[in-house]
Amino acid sequence: MKKLIIAIDGPSGAGKSTLSKALADSLHYTNIDTGAMFRAVALQTMRQSIDLNDEQQIEAMCRSIDIRFDRSGTEERILLNGEDVSAAIRTPDVSLLTAQVAALPVVRKTLLNLQRQMGENGGVVLEGRDIGSVVFPDAEVKFFLSATAQQRGKRRYLELKAKGIEVDLDQTIAEVEARDLADSSRQHAPLLRAADAIDIDSTSMSISEVLSKMLGIINRRMIPGTER
Ligand code: C5P
Protein backbone atom coordinates (compact mmCIF):
# COMPACT_ATOMS: atom_id res chain seq x y z
CA MET A 1 0.00 0.00 0.00
CA LYS A 2 1.19 3.50 -0.80
CA LYS A 3 2.92 5.27 2.08
CA LEU A 4 1.26 8.63 2.49
CA ILE A 5 2.36 12.00 3.72
CA ILE A 6 -0.10 13.16 6.37
CA ALA A 7 -0.04 16.78 7.56
CA ILE A 8 -1.58 17.99 10.81
CA ASP A 9 -1.56 21.76 11.23
CA GLY A 10 -3.21 23.97 13.78
CA PRO A 11 -2.61 26.26 16.74
CA SER A 12 -0.80 25.14 19.90
CA GLY A 13 -2.74 22.96 22.30
CA ALA A 14 -5.24 21.66 19.73
CA GLY A 15 -4.01 18.10 20.34
CA LYS A 16 -1.68 17.83 17.33
CA SER A 17 1.19 16.12 19.17
CA THR A 18 -0.92 13.44 20.81
CA LEU A 19 -2.85 12.72 17.63
CA SER A 20 0.18 12.78 15.39
CA LYS A 21 1.90 10.18 17.59
CA ALA A 22 -1.25 8.07 17.84
CA LEU A 23 -1.78 8.16 14.07
CA ALA A 24 1.86 7.29 13.38
CA ASP A 25 1.61 4.36 15.82
CA SER A 26 -1.61 3.03 14.27
CA LEU A 27 -0.27 3.26 10.73
CA HIS A 28 3.34 2.23 11.55
CA TYR A 29 4.46 5.57 10.18
CA THR A 30 7.15 7.95 11.46
CA ASN A 31 5.98 10.88 13.54
CA ILE A 32 7.72 14.20 12.88
CA ASP A 33 7.15 16.88 15.50
CA THR A 34 8.25 20.00 13.60
CA GLY A 35 7.46 22.24 16.60
CA ALA A 36 10.17 20.40 18.53
CA MET A 37 12.62 21.28 15.75
CA PHE A 38 11.79 25.01 16.01
CA ARG A 39 12.03 24.73 19.79
CA ALA A 40 15.50 23.18 19.52
CA VAL A 41 16.67 26.09 17.34
CA ALA A 42 15.21 28.56 19.88
CA LEU A 43 17.01 26.79 22.71
CA GLN A 44 20.27 27.07 20.81
CA THR A 45 19.82 30.84 20.28
CA MET A 46 19.14 31.15 24.01
CA ARG A 47 22.21 29.14 24.96
CA GLN A 48 24.44 31.09 22.62
CA SER A 49 22.83 34.42 23.65
CA ILE A 50 22.23 35.22 20.00
CA ASP A 51 20.63 38.56 19.18
CA LEU A 52 17.65 37.70 16.95
CA ASN A 53 18.30 40.85 14.92
CA ASP A 54 21.81 39.67 14.05
CA GLU A 55 21.22 37.86 10.76
CA GLN A 56 24.84 36.78 10.36
CA GLN A 57 24.92 35.09 13.73
CA ILE A 58 21.58 33.39 13.06
CA GLU A 59 22.80 32.19 9.67
CA ALA A 60 26.00 30.82 11.15
CA MET A 61 24.03 28.98 13.82
CA CYS A 62 21.66 27.51 11.20
CA ARG A 63 24.61 26.26 9.14
CA SER A 64 26.18 24.45 12.07
CA ILE A 65 23.15 23.17 13.97
CA ASP A 66 22.43 19.43 13.97
CA ILE A 67 18.84 18.44 14.79
CA ARG A 68 17.67 14.86 14.67
CA PHE A 69 15.20 12.51 16.30
CA ASP A 70 16.25 9.45 18.24
CA ARG A 71 13.54 6.81 17.98
CA SER A 72 15.56 3.93 19.38
CA GLY A 73 13.86 3.91 22.82
CA THR A 74 10.21 3.72 23.83
CA GLU A 75 9.91 7.51 23.73
CA GLU A 76 11.00 9.70 20.85
CA ARG A 77 13.79 12.09 21.83
CA ILE A 78 15.05 15.19 20.06
CA LEU A 79 18.80 15.67 19.84
CA LEU A 80 20.42 19.09 19.49
CA ASN A 81 24.03 18.68 18.40
CA GLY A 82 23.88 15.18 19.87
CA GLU A 83 22.41 16.20 23.24
CA ASP A 84 18.95 15.05 24.33
CA VAL A 85 17.01 18.31 24.83
CA SER A 86 13.49 16.78 24.90
CA ALA A 87 12.72 18.28 28.32
CA ALA A 88 14.69 21.51 27.97
CA ILE A 89 12.68 22.64 24.91
CA ARG A 90 9.33 22.46 26.75
CA THR A 91 9.71 25.29 29.26
CA PRO A 92 7.39 28.35 28.92
CA ASP A 93 10.44 30.58 28.23
CA VAL A 94 11.50 28.45 25.29
CA SER A 95 7.88 28.32 24.03
CA LEU A 96 7.65 32.10 23.85
CA LEU A 97 11.06 32.52 22.27
CA THR A 98 10.24 29.82 19.70
CA ALA A 99 7.42 31.87 18.18
CA GLN A 100 9.94 34.71 17.57
CA VAL A 101 12.69 32.45 16.26
CA ALA A 102 10.21 30.66 13.98
CA ALA A 103 9.45 33.99 12.27
CA LEU A 104 13.03 34.30 10.96
CA PRO A 105 13.25 33.39 7.23
CA VAL A 106 16.66 31.69 7.51
CA VAL A 107 15.42 29.48 10.34
CA ARG A 108 12.30 28.53 8.37
CA LYS A 109 14.37 27.75 5.28
CA THR A 110 16.80 25.57 7.23
CA LEU A 111 14.02 23.57 8.86
CA LEU A 112 11.94 23.43 5.67
CA ASN A 113 14.79 21.61 3.92
CA LEU A 114 15.30 19.27 6.84
CA GLN A 115 11.57 18.50 7.13
CA ARG A 116 11.31 17.77 3.40
CA GLN A 117 14.29 15.40 3.63
CA MET A 118 12.73 13.61 6.58
CA GLY A 119 9.35 13.20 4.91
CA GLU A 120 10.01 12.85 1.19
CA ASN A 121 9.65 9.05 1.06
CA GLY A 122 6.21 9.10 2.69
CA GLY A 123 5.03 6.97 5.58
CA VAL A 124 5.12 10.05 7.79
CA VAL A 125 2.81 12.13 9.92
CA LEU A 126 4.10 15.68 10.27
CA GLU A 127 2.60 18.08 12.74
CA GLY A 128 3.16 21.82 12.69
CA ARG A 129 1.81 25.14 11.45
CA ASP A 130 2.61 25.22 7.74
CA ILE A 131 3.01 21.58 6.74
CA GLY A 132 0.00 21.38 4.40
CA SER A 133 0.48 24.90 3.08
CA VAL A 134 4.26 25.20 2.60
CA VAL A 135 6.34 22.15 3.54
CA PHE A 136 4.28 19.47 1.77
CA PRO A 137 1.58 21.22 -0.29
CA ASP A 138 1.03 17.90 -2.11
CA ALA A 139 0.53 15.83 1.06
CA GLU A 140 -2.15 13.20 0.45
CA VAL A 141 -4.04 14.01 3.65
CA LYS A 142 -4.14 17.38 5.41
CA PHE A 143 -5.88 18.04 8.67
CA PHE A 144 -6.39 21.41 10.31
CA LEU A 145 -7.00 20.77 13.98
CA SER A 146 -8.39 23.55 16.16
CA ALA A 147 -10.06 24.17 19.53
CA THR A 148 -10.96 27.33 21.47
CA ALA A 149 -8.03 29.22 23.11
CA GLN A 150 -9.64 28.60 26.52
CA GLN A 151 -9.68 24.85 25.99
CA ARG A 152 -6.17 24.77 24.51
CA GLY A 153 -4.76 26.83 27.40
CA LYS A 154 -6.38 24.46 29.88
CA ARG A 155 -4.87 21.42 28.14
CA ARG A 156 -1.40 23.01 28.09
CA TYR A 157 -1.75 23.90 31.79
CA LEU A 158 -2.65 20.30 32.72
CA GLU A 159 0.18 18.96 30.55
CA LEU A 160 2.80 21.17 32.23
CA LYS A 161 1.40 20.44 35.68
CA ALA A 162 1.62 16.71 35.03
CA LYS A 163 5.30 17.21 34.24
CA GLY A 164 5.79 18.98 37.58
CA ILE A 165 6.12 22.46 36.01
CA GLU A 166 4.22 24.98 38.19
CA VAL A 167 2.21 27.41 36.06
CA ASP A 168 -0.87 29.60 36.42
CA LEU A 169 -3.98 28.71 34.36
CA ASP A 170 -4.88 32.26 33.28
CA GLN A 171 -1.28 32.97 32.40
CA THR A 172 -1.10 29.78 30.35
CA ILE A 173 -4.25 30.76 28.43
CA ALA A 174 -2.77 34.24 27.85
CA GLU A 175 0.49 32.65 26.59
CA VAL A 176 -1.45 30.43 24.18
CA GLU A 177 -3.24 33.52 22.85
CA ALA A 178 0.05 35.44 22.55
CA ARG A 179 1.59 32.58 20.59
CA ASP A 180 -1.51 32.31 18.36
CA LEU A 181 -1.15 35.97 17.52
CA ALA A 182 2.59 35.71 16.81
CA ASP A 183 2.14 32.54 14.73
CA SER A 184 -0.79 33.91 12.71
CA SER A 185 0.52 37.39 12.04
CA ARG A 186 4.14 36.74 11.07
CA GLN A 187 5.19 37.55 7.54
CA HIS A 188 6.90 34.26 6.67
CA ALA A 189 4.91 31.01 6.64
CA PRO A 190 2.30 32.01 9.21
CA LEU A 191 -0.09 29.50 10.74
CA LEU A 192 -2.17 28.83 7.66
CA ARG A 193 -4.98 26.49 6.86
CA ALA A 194 -4.32 24.89 3.46
CA ALA A 195 -7.31 25.36 1.14
CA ASP A 196 -7.74 21.59 0.82
CA ALA A 197 -7.31 20.77 4.53
CA ILE A 198 -9.98 18.92 6.47
CA ASP A 199 -11.11 20.92 9.50
CA ILE A 200 -11.53 19.19 12.83
CA ASP A 201 -12.59 21.18 15.90
CA SER A 202 -11.46 19.18 18.94
CA THR A 203 -12.97 21.49 21.61
CA SER A 204 -15.55 18.97 22.73
CA MET A 205 -14.10 15.79 21.26
CA SER A 206 -11.95 13.24 23.05
CA ILE A 207 -8.60 12.16 21.62
CA SER A 208 -10.01 8.76 20.65
CA GLU A 209 -12.96 10.38 18.85
CA VAL A 210 -10.64 12.60 16.83
CA LEU A 211 -8.30 9.67 16.16
CA SER A 212 -11.03 7.43 14.77
CA LYS A 213 -12.35 10.26 12.62
CA MET A 214 -8.85 10.83 11.19
CA LEU A 215 -8.22 7.12 10.62
CA GLY A 216 -11.54 6.81 8.77
CA ILE A 217 -10.55 9.63 6.41
CA ILE A 218 -7.02 8.25 5.88
CA ASN A 219 -8.27 4.73 5.17
CA ARG A 220 -10.61 6.02 2.48
CA ARG A 221 -7.72 7.89 0.83
CA MET A 222 -5.40 4.87 0.95
CA ILE A 223 -7.75 2.87 -1.22
CA PRO A 224 -7.66 4.29 -4.74
CA GLY A 225 -11.03 4.99 -6.34
CA THR A 226 -12.86 5.60 -3.07
CA GLU A 227 -14.11 8.96 -1.84
CA ARG A 228 -11.41 11.63 -1.35
O1 C5P B 1 3.91 22.79 18.17
P1 C5P B 1 4.69 23.55 19.21
O2 C5P B 1 3.83 24.28 20.19
O3 C5P B 1 5.74 22.73 19.87
O4 C5P B 1 5.48 24.66 18.36
C1 C5P B 1 6.26 25.63 18.97
C2 C5P B 1 6.34 26.87 18.08
O5 C5P B 1 7.08 26.53 16.90
C3 C5P B 1 5.03 27.43 17.58
O6 C5P B 1 4.44 28.36 18.46
C4 C5P B 1 5.44 28.10 16.27
O7 C5P B 1 5.93 29.40 16.52
C5 C5P B 1 6.62 27.28 15.80
N1 C5P B 1 6.30 26.37 14.70
C6 C5P B 1 6.26 26.87 13.42
N2 C5P B 1 6.05 26.03 12.36
C7 C5P B 1 5.86 24.71 12.56
C8 C5P B 1 5.87 24.19 13.87
C9 C5P B 1 6.08 25.04 14.92
O8 C5P B 1 6.42 28.05 13.22
N3 C5P B 1 5.69 23.92 11.50
Side-chain angles (χ1 to χ4, degrees):
M1 203 173 292
K2 189 174 178 213
K3 290 205 163 241
L4 310 181
I5 295 177
I6 299 170
I8 308 182
D9 290 302
S12 51
K16 296 189 304 289
S17 300
T18 312
L19 284 154
S20 179
K21 277 192 204 98
L23 271 186
D25 283 350
S26 312
L27 299 164
H28 303 290
Y29 276 18
T30 303
N31 173 50
I32 301 175
D33 175 358
T34 65
M37 299 167 81
F38 283 96
R39 286 169 180 273
V41 175
L43 181 65
Q44 185 68 356
T45 65
M46 194 185 253
R47 285 179 168 179
Q48 294 189 339
S49 308
I50 293 177
D51 173 359
L52 298 190
N53 296 311
D54 186 338
E55 273 181 38
Q56 279 189 340
Q57 250 194 313
I58 299 275
E59 266 182 44
M61 179 208 55
C62 284
R63 270 198 304 273
S64 65
I65 202 165
D66 175 28
I67 295 175
R68 55 186 77 207
F69 290 98
D70 172 10
R71 302 189 171 88
S72 59
T74 46
E75 290 221 352
E76 182 183 283
R77 322 296 305 166
I78 182 153
L79 306 183
L80 168 62
N81 299 328
E83 177 195 342
D84 179 358
V85 292
S86 311
I89 58 166
R90 299 286 161 196
T91 64
D93 279 358
V94 175
S95 298
L96 281 178
L97 182 66
T98 304
Q100 294 172 41
V101 169
L104 303 172
V106 62
V107 171
R108 296 217 73 86
K109 190 164 173 267
T110 304
L111 293 188
L112 172 77
N113 292 337
L114 195 53
Q115 288 158 14
R116 284 191 177 154
Q117 268 170 34
M118 288 177 171
E120 65 192 355
N121 295 327
V124 284
V125 186
L126 295 109
E127 55 129 330
R129 302 293 190 288
D130 61 341
I131 307 300
S133 56
V134 177
V135 184
F136 284 110
D138 295 330
E140 282 87 358
V141 189
K142 300 177 187 178
F143 293 110
F144 193 83
L145 191 62
S146 61
T148 60
Q150 192 81 13
Q151 181 69 21
R152 291 184 287 116
K154 197 170 148 198
R155 288 179 189 160
R156 185 67 87 194
Y157 166 79
L158 293 173
E159 222 175 82
L160 292 171
K161 233 179 118 179
K163 285 185 189 147
I165 302 174
E166 267 315 308
V167 283
D168 177 76
L169 175 59
D170 288 340
Q171 197 189 329
T172 311
I173 293 172
E175 278 170 10
V176 163
E177 285 170 338
R179 268 211 290 157
D180 281 359
L181 186 67
D183 287 347
S184 315
S185 57
R186 67 170 172 239
Q187 204 186 342
H188 298 280
L191 168 61
L192 205 63
R193 181 193 168 285
D196 52 351
I198 299 157
D199 284 301
I200 301 182
D201 181 343
S202 75
T203 307
S204 50
M205 288 173 88
S206 68
I207 292 293
S208 60
E209 283 170 333
V210 181
L211 180 63
S212 55
K213 183 171 179 159
M214 287 178 157
L215 281 171
I217 292 166
I218 293 165
N219 284 333
R220 284 197 292 279
R221 293 208 179 170
M222 275 177 163
I223 304 163
T226 60
E227 179 210 339
R228 271 190 64 82

